Each structure stands twice: as C-alpha cells, then as structure tokens.
Amino acid sequence: MKFKTNIMHRNMMMIGLFFVSVCMARAQQPYLSRQQLSIKEAEQLLLKNNAQLKLKQSEVAVAQANVTQSKVFDNPQMGITHNVYNPVTHHYFDLGSKGETDIQLSQRIYIGGQRMNGVRKSIAELSGTEADLDNERRIVLHDLREKMIDINALYEKSALDKKEITSLQKIISVYETQVRKGNIPAAEVTRMKTLLFQATKDREGNETDILNAQKDLQILLGLGNVEIVPVINESEMLGQAALLQDTTSVFKNIYGRGDIRQSESDIEVAQHEIKLQKSNALPAINITGEWDKNGNIGHNYFGVGVSLSIPIFNRNKGNIRAAQETQNQAMINRNIAVRNAKAEVRQAYATIHSLQQLDLSDKNMNELDKMMDHATTQYMHRNISLLEFVDYYSSYKDAKTSIIDSRCQLLQAANDLRTAANQ
C-alpha cells in the first residue's frame, strides 16, 4: 500500500510539473496566432468589427427614431367627472339615468410652425449624427493606418537589433577564444559585450512598443489575441498622396468631411431651434368638446370650445435669445473646423515635401548593410581598430534607424494628407 501511495504521489507531481510547464510555455507566447494584413484588408475588418463605429451607428438609429417620434401628433386628452351625491335621488355615486356625468375631450392644435419646426430640427439633428458617424469612420481608419505603419517600423527596428545582436555575438565568441590565448586584450571583449547589452536593451524596448501597439490595433479591429503583421505597400500609399497635389481640389473636398458637415448641421439645427422658440411664443391652442348628462344647462348637453394661452407675461424671449447665441456658436465652430482642416492639409504637404528631399531608398539601406558587414569582417581580421569599429557601428545604427524613422514619418504624412483630404 505504501508503495502504491508513493507511485500516486509521484504521478501527481509529474502531472503538476507538466501543467506548470504548459502554463509557462503559454505565458512566453503572448499571441495565439499570427495574421498578415494589408491596409485594405485591415480597413474592411475595422469597418465590420470596430466597437466605436457600432456605437455611432446606434446613435444614428436613435436619431432616426427621434425623427419618427417628432412627426407624431399629441394624443387627445379626456376627462370624466361624475357627481358624488345626487340631490334629486339622494343617492351617492348614482350611475342610473338621473346621475350626472360630464365628459370632456381636448386636442392640441399647432400654429405658426410649432410642430413642423420641431420635425425639421429633428431631421437636421439626424443629418448631424450621420455626419458624426462619417467623421468617426474617417478618424478610426486614420488611426488604423497609423498603427500599422508604426508597427511595421518597429518590426524593421527589431530586425535591425536582431542582426546587430547576431553579429556582436559572433565577434564575442571568436574574440573570447583569442583572449584565452592571449592574442588580444580582454578590454575589447568587454567593450563588445557593452554594445551587445545596449542592442539587447533596444530590442526589448522595441518588443514592448510592439506589444502596446498590437494591443491598440487589436482593439481597433475587434480581434482577440492575434499578432497582426502589417503588409505595407509604400509605393501605393505615396502614390495616393501624389494624386492629392492639387490644393484647390483638395480644399474643395474638405467640405465633405464629417466634422465640417456636422458643424453645418449644427447651424441648421440652431436655425430651426430659433424658429421653434419663436413659434412657441405664440398661444397654445386646444380645441375642446364636452358632453354633460343631466347638467345644469340641460339633459345631454353638447358643447365645443377653444382654449388658448395668452402670451402676456411669458413671451419666450429668453429661449429665443439663447437659440440665437447657439447659432452664433455653431457658425464659429464651423469656421474653426474649416481652418483646422486646411491647416492639416498644409502641414501634411510640408512634411511630405521635406522628407522627400532625403535618400530613403532601399538601395541606400542595402549600402549601409554592406558597409557594416565589411567593417565587421575587417575588424575580425584586425585590419581596423576597436575605436574605428565602434565608430562604424554607431554611424551604421544611427543612419539606419534614422532612415526607418523618416520612412515611417513619410508614410504617416501621406496618411495624414489622405485623412485631411477626406479620401
């Protein structure tokens, strides 16, 4: 029995260790799967899954319901009164033929646009909500392309760090053997290890940035634990920006942007609000009808009348003035939106023009790689000194990182121009 118990404990321990090893293996793999996506594929996925767009679509549905409700007439009001004590029959709550019952009906009648101005205001609010949806779509698509461009640049930097680490490890491995033989000083290996530490630190920093960017991208696309590998067609993105060089045409297109259309809808809403408040200053009219059984006037009395409010004390001037100020604010906001849109276009143009003056070609990148490979070979053959190699190394890393950053900035500027131009 004791032998069987030890076997059971041993099996349970093995199962526990296996479970822990599986959990640690999963923890070391932050993503369940890996998926390559082009810009167009990612845009289609975003339009289908993005939660923020779904919220804006729900807001449009609410505005549509408000328009439907604004077109509905008010229900008539009915009042019924029955006498408590009948002085003729001396009965309480006499429901017989001699009891008195009074029934009144009242229906609101709108005049001077009291109803239609409210309907027009709701329709204008619906247009503003639809424009807000278009603007949100424009913004999230811009954010999507921005994240994909950033992640692509981070992957390029990570590849650069990996190449440096591999090269430095190779040098250190060879030189440690030479140090043991006494052929070279140990200080050179120490300096190489310092460079290796810095490269490893840079790679870890890039990996953290990639994880953060991937999280934002997954939220935009509505995906789970999936690593998105962007497939960026740089020539296509820059070609789209090149088609937007006509500033006159671009400045015309910005008036179709969702934020500007929304500001114009706000002006229209304010205009209808002014008309509505002016019409609310008119009397509120109700047509009434009455039937009174066994009343003071006579048996089965029927009467029709009109009731209206008399605008003596309240002429709605405060609400009218507030609506006029709201219109002025909406006009100011519209002008601000137009100026901001034009400034975004000019800024994108200036950034693209500035970065296109630099040599960011693949040919330049390949020449830098060849230079560094050559410097590594020369150093390992002791044809150049440690200081010369470190100088080559620093210049190579700075130049290549600068090119990666500049290419990323150029693509971001092309993305900014496309978004600002409402394309």
Side-chain angles (χ1 to χ4, degrees):
M1 291 294 293
K2 185 176 181 180
F3 177 72
K4 292 183 177 180
T5 303
N6 291 335
I7 293 176
M8 290 177 63
H9 283 304
R10 189 181 304 168
N11 291 338
M12 291 178 66
M13 185 178 295
M14 292 179 64
I15 292 173
L17 291 173
F18 175 75
F19 177 76
V20 171
S21 64
V22 170
C23 292
M24 292 180 63
R26 289 186 176 180
Q28 293 175 355
Q29 297 175 357
Y31 305 110
L32 295 178
S33 61
R34 184 181 178 95
Q35 183 176 358
Q36 288 188 339
L37 282 179
S38 66
I39 292 290
K40 290 183 179 179
E41 291 171 339
E43 288 176 347
Q44 293 173 357
L45 195 59
L46 178 139
L47 294 176
K48 178 182 178 182
N49 295 337
N50 185 260
Q52 196 63 32
L53 288 182
K54 291 180 180 179
L55 286 176
K56 293 297 181 180
Q57 290 167 355
S58 179
E59 292 178 5
V60 171
V62 171
Q64 291 172 340
N66 290 336
V67 171
T68 302
Q69 185 62 36
S70 68
K71 295 179 180 180
V72 178
F73 286 94
D74 290 344
N75 292 323
Q77 301 291 322
M78 183 177 70
I80 301 176
T81 305
H82 190 79
N83 65 332
V84 176
Y85 177 76
N86 191 330
V88 178
T89 62
H90 304 288
H91 292 157
Y92 287 93
F93 299 103
D94 187 356
L95 300 178
S97 60
K98 294 182 179 180
E100 183 179 355
T101 302
D102 182 67
I103 299 176
Q104 294 181 344
L105 289 174
S106 177
Q107 177 64 53
R108 172 75 184 275
I109 302 298
Y110 295 98
I111 61 172
Q114 290 174 332
R115 175 176 172 274
M116 285 308 302
N117 287 328
V119 174
R120 295 188 184 103
K121 177 185 173 183
S122 297
I123 294 174
E125 288 174 339
L126 172 59
S127 298
T129 307
E130 292 172 339
D132 185 38
L133 171 60
D134 289 342
N135 188 53
E136 184 67 24
R137 185 184 295 114
R138 181 179 68 91
I139 291 173
V140 295
L141 285 173
H142 173 270
D143 293 343
L144 169 68
R145 294 189 291 265
E146 182 180 59
K147 288 297 178 186
M148 294 189 72
I149 293 170
D150 285 340
I151 291 175
N152 184 66
L154 289 171
Y155 278 144
E156 290 183 352
K157 290 182 180 179
S158 182
L160 172 61
D161 292 333
K162 184 178 180 180
K163 179 179 179 180
E164 292 174 358
I165 290 171
T166 302
S167 178
L168 291 172
Q169 287 175 339
K170 181 179 179 181
I171 293 174
I172 292 171
S173 177
V174 173
Y175 271 39
E176 282 181 337
T177 302
Q178 296 300 319
V179 168
R180 288 192 294 268
K181 294 179 179 179
N183 295 330
I184 60 175
E188 290 199 24
V189 175
T190 302
R191 184 69 178 100
M192 288 294 104
K193 288 183 177 180
T194 303
L195 294 177
L196 177 61
F197 173 80
Q198 187 61 47
T200 305
K201 183 180 177 181
D202 292 342
R203 184 186 63 181
E204 295 302 321
N206 283 332
E207 292 296 328
T208 301
D209 292 339
I210 289 173
L211 287 173
N212 293 330
Q214 285 284 351
K215 178 193 68 176
D216 296 336
L217 188 57
Q218 289 165 4
I219 293 174
L220 284 171
L221 296 176
L223 296 177
N225 196 16
V226 179
E227 180 182 8
I228 305 301
V229 181
V231 181
I232 306 296
N233 190 333
E234 296 184 7
S235 60
E236 180 181 355
M237 293 191 68
L238 296 177
Q240 291 173 344
L243 296 175
L244 300 173
Q245 296 303 311
D246 184 3
T247 56
T248 303
S249 176
V250 170
F251 284 154
K252 288 181 180 179
N253 289 338
I254 64 173
Y255 292 95
R257 282 175 40 158
D259 54 344
I260 296 178
R261 285 170 40 225
Q262 184 181 9
S263 64
E264 292 172 345
S265 296
D266 291 340
I267 295 175
E268 186 179 357
V269 169
Q271 291 172 343
H272 291 306
E273 178 66 15
I274 293 172
K275 294 178 181 179
L276 177 61
Q277 294 303 328
K278 287 182 177 179
S279 62
N280 287 340
L282 300 174
I285 298 178
N286 290 274
I287 294 180
T288 61
E290 182 179 3
W291 172 68
D292 191 355
K293 184 184 73 169
N294 299 329
N296 294 329
I297 298 177
H299 182 66
N300 288 333
Y301 164 76
F302 288 92
V304 177
V306 176
S307 66
L308 70 158
S309 62
I310 302 175
I312 297 176
F313 303 108
N314 182 8
R315 297 185 180 180
N316 211 33
K317 290 184 178 179
N319 288 334
I320 293 173
R321 190 179 303 117
Q324 290 171 340
E325 287 301 320
T326 301
Q327 182 187 23
N328 292 335
Q329 293 173 0
M331 295 175 69
I332 293 172
N333 287 332
R334 190 261 184 188
N335 293 334
I336 292 174
V338 172
R339 286 199 299 268
N340 289 343
K342 290 183 177 180
E344 290 172 6
V345 172
R346 295 191 188 98
Q347 179 64 35
Y349 276 137
T351 304
I352 291 174
H353 178 73
S354 175
L355 291 172
Q356 284 180 336
Q357 308 305 312
L358 304 175
D359 185 2
L360 307 177
S361 63
D362 292 335
K363 180 181 178 181
N364 191 15
M365 297 276 278
N366 293 331
E367 288 177 353
L368 288 173
D369 289 336
K370 291 178 181 179
M371 178 201 74
M372 192 62 211
D373 291 340
H374 178 71
T376 302
T377 302
Q378 291 298 312
Y379 177 64
M380 293 185 69
H381 287 84
R382 310 296 294 170
N383 293 328
I384 60 175
S385 66
L386 173 63
L387 292 178
E388 289 175 316
F389 175 77
V390 172
D391 182 62
Y392 273 116
Y393 177 87
S394 299
S395 299
Y396 165 76
K397 186 170 184 178
D398 291 343
K400 196 157 186 181
T401 302
S402 178
I403 291 176
I404 293 173
D405 288 337
S406 296
R407 291 171 69 163
C408 178
Q409 292 171 6
L410 180 59
L411 293 177
Q412 295 292 12
N415 180 35
D416 293 341
L417 178 59
R418 177 180 175 183
T419 302
N422 196 37
Q423 295 294 321

